[in-house]
Amino acid sequence: MTQTSQPRRAFHSGRGKRTFDRIPGGFYLVGVLVILFEVVTLGAVGLTLAFGGPSGDDGASPAKEPRRVEVTYLATGDHPSVNLTVGEANGNHESHGIVILPYRKTVELAAGADFYLDVRSREDQEGGTLTCTVLVGGKVVQQAHSTPGSSSAVCAGSTADAPQRGIPVPTLTPGASPLPEERRLTGTVKVPDYPGEGSPVIGTVTDSSLEYAELGGTWDRSTTQDPIFDGFTRKQEGRQRALVKSTQVDEDIMAAAGGTGELRGVAGAVMDERRRYEYPRDQAILVDVASQPLKVDGHDAWLLVSEIHFHKRGVPSTMDLNAVLVVDTGRVRPSVLWVVLPETNKRLWPDLNTLVASVQVR
């Protein structure tokens, strides 16, 4: 008996109906529309992010850069150098320390920002005239001058201030020449034999166990000094700030030299003290030209010679030749002879050789 093959049974759900046959035909259309909507929405979001749309943080646009203006600070006057402070009128000031006049600096500030410029006399150079000037866009918006009763000129205002008519921009004539770099000798260099006739010798001075020449010519007579007020016990003055002084080295200088009595260190400590007290503070440069050991009547000694370069109002010299001779006299502390000879009177420089050669221990 021949069997006939049966048709394969299709997969049926529990009720014998095809699964997909149970979904109404209208839902296919709705699904297609939903998918298209999602694609369009995501594409729009992507384009917005790609082309710099609103930020996801707060939706605010980036702030616009404020307009900038060119501001020029000028400081002029008859001082070689001044203390200078610049900044904002609201108190955010920056000290530039000591600067040489004339001074000029150009910066960029936001339009409407405050400015501040204080040109002040140095502690040891009061008097004279000082001027501050502030330009915005090349035009003077403020200018001020020091008065006889004040030691500074101050300009404070806003970059939005209107230009002042009839006030010319100050002429920046060349000011004081720049100071050289500091140079201190560590080896031994002999003092030069300065050429010239120098001053005549009219006698001798005895002080602090030293005896040395008293000079004539343009020098005044040597006089006794109070060491408490002057720091020295003898002084002779010459033209244009020339000086010869002597005393016993005090305890503070010995301590500054390390307290060992090593003569080279003591000579350097004396020179540093003279620069600190006799020259404009923070504006005097030492350039050593000679440093050598000597014998004075069989006693150990050290000679240090330095150029001190400086700028000081009312002083024509910008360099003085300074010499410090420290002698171990056998006392608890050594004695010292200090000589100052200004560059503006080089005719006196041979006096240094005369004085050093004349020193004896008494």
Side-chain angles (χ1 to χ4, degrees):
M1 180 172 161
T2 306
Q3 285 186 329
T4 39
S5 59
Q6 297 293 323
R8 242 176 121 182
R9 295 182 64 185
F11 175 76
H12 287 268
S13 65
R15 290 188 167 190
K17 294 278 190 181
R18 293 178 183 273
T19 301
F20 290 110
D21 289 344
R22 299 178 60 195
I23 300 175
F27 278 95
Y28 289 109
L29 180 59
V30 173
V32 170
L33 292 175
V34 169
I35 292 171
L36 288 174
F37 176 78
E38 293 290 340
V39 169
V40 171
T41 302
L42 291 174
V45 171
L47 288 172
T48 300
L49 294 175
F51 288 97
S55 170
D57 295 332
D58 54 11
S61 300
K64 189 177 180 181
E65 273 297 315
R67 187 172 66 88
R68 312 280 295 176
V69 293
E70 187 179 84
V71 178
T72 299
Y73 298 109
L74 299 177
T76 53
D78 62 359
H79 291 224
S81 58
V82 293
N83 288 305
L84 193 81
T85 302
V86 298
E88 301 173 0
N90 61 11
N92 185 18
H93 303 158
E94 178 186 356
S95 173
H96 283 222
I98 298 170
V99 300
I100 301 296
L101 293 185
Y103 171 88
R104 178 189 182 102
K105 184 177 181 180
T106 299
V107 298
E108 278 195 352
L109 298 179
D114 292 335
F115 60 76
Y116 179 85
L117 175 62
D118 185 342
V119 185
R120 189 170 297 272
S121 296
R122 298 182 56 197
E123 182 179 344
D124 54 355
Q125 299 189 38
E126 295 182 356
T129 59
L130 296 172
T131 300
C132 67
T133 307
V134 178
L135 285 67
V136 177
K139 297 180 179 179
V140 176
V141 297
Q142 193 165 139
Q143 187 176 89
H145 307 277
S146 62
T147 62
S150 96
S151 58
S152 70
V154 178
C155 291
S158 168
T159 58
D161 293 345
Q164 297 190 18
R165 295 172 180 253
I167 298 181
V169 177
T171 301
L172 301 184
T173 56
S177 59
L179 297 174
E181 292 186 4
E182 185 104 346
R183 187 182 73 205
R184 307 305 298 266
L185 290 173
T186 57
T188 298
V189 178
K190 290 185 177 182
V191 64
D193 186 9
Y194 294 102
E197 188 174 329
S199 304
V201 175
I202 61 172
T204 58
V205 176
T206 301
D207 178 54
S208 303
S209 300
L210 297 181
E211 183 180 278
Y212 55 91
E214 182 177 14
L215 302 173
T218 60
W219 290 87
D220 297 332
R221 297 303 298 261
S222 179
T223 59
T224 302
Q225 300 296 303
D226 185 339
I228 295 177
F229 296 101
D230 190 78
F232 291 84
T233 48
R234 295 286 298 191
K235 177 175 76 171
Q236 186 174 21
E237 293 184 284
R239 298 267 177 91
Q240 300 176 9
R241 300 173 58 253
L243 286 172
V244 177
K245 290 187 175 185
S246 57
T247 192
Q248 188 179 23
V249 178
D250 65 32
E251 295 177 352
D252 291 340
I253 294 179
M254 295 296 292
T260 63
E262 193 269 324
L263 295 179
R264 180 171 193 157
V266 175
V270 173
M271 187 71 76
D272 288 337
E273 187 207 37
R274 293 299 92 209
R275 168 171 59 174
R276 184 165 57 251
Y277 287 104
E278 302 293 336
Y279 292 89
R281 189 171 300 176
D282 303 323
Q283 186 81 6
I285 301 300
L286 269 172
V287 178
D288 291 344
V289 297
S291 184
Q292 68 175 110
L294 293 176
K295 285 290 185 179
V296 174
D297 273 359
H299 295 260
D300 290 335
W302 197 279
L303 175 62
L304 176 62
V305 181
S306 303
E307 297 175 351
I308 297 187
H309 297 259
F310 63 97
H311 298 301
K312 187 172 183 178
R313 180 178 171 271
V315 177
S317 176
T318 59
M319 190 274 280
D320 289 345
L321 191 68
N322 278 250
V324 170
L325 176 63
V326 177
V327 183
D328 182 359
T329 61
R331 299 171 68 181
V332 176
R333 299 190 304 275
S335 298
V336 60
L337 180 70
W338 176 50
V339 183
V340 182
L341 301 169
E343 183 183 35
T344 50
N345 199 352
K346 283 189 175 182
R347 189 179 63 81
L348 297 180
W349 283 19
D351 291 351
L352 173 59
N353 301 117
T354 301
L355 287 164
V356 171
S358 71
V359 177
Q360 302 290 322
V361 175
R362 292 291 181 263

